[in-house]
Amino acid sequence: VQFQSDLPPIESVVIAPFENLAQRWESGTVVRSPISGWIFVTGPVSIGADRFLTDQLVSHVQRDTAFEILPPGEPAALPEAVVDSSGSQGTRLEQLSQRGRRLGADAVFAGHVYRFRERAGGELSVQSPASVGFEISLIDCREPRVLWSAVYDYTQQALSDNLLGAGNFFRRGGRWVTAEELATAAMDHIFDDFRRRMPSQT
């Protein structure tokens, strides 16, 4: 998703911990994101996946942006922003926007994970492949709106099942990868794109 054309200056951000939304529904349920409106199919989420994704997000914001992370020394601290996801999209945006504003931030990074299924098997042969679905949004603290968002929703496929995906398969060494490897590569790609698209604010 592209940045909003009227992106306001951003100097400081709060990073809300990833929330596991899959735990609210049975596996295989089609759900709509409470922030972006994107559609996901829920699935198993490995223990610690939300923390892993939060750590990845924090690392990339620190490395790939010039944003100051608030509160100082607590880059993933916004637990009170994790609100009832059954509420309306407008309500959730307003809550996250208000929480960030109270901490003096210009924007809030918020993430949701819908599926983080580990592969069953090894690198050369699997009973089921790794499958990952998550999103990240950057929310304006001055008014409740999404300034930028990114979605990743992918299940690795065998070369024999998807010849069009041969490039991805061979880039991964022609092997079955883990869910963490999928997510790490996705975060790298997302923030490469973020840097390229981020409008100059000088």
Side-chain angles (χ1 to χ4, degrees), residues 122-134:
E123 292 186 356
L124 301 180
S125 176
V126 295
Q127 290 76 55
S128 63
S131 182
V132 174
F134 69 85

Side-chain angles (χ1 to χ4, degrees), residues 154 156 159 164-177 181 185 189:
Y154 182 74
Q156 189 179 14
L159 180 59
L164 294 177
N168 284 333
F169 193 83
F170 286 117
R171 274 195 295 275
R172 296 185 173 107
R175 64 186 181 86
W176 296 100
V177 297
E181 287 175 309
H189 176 76

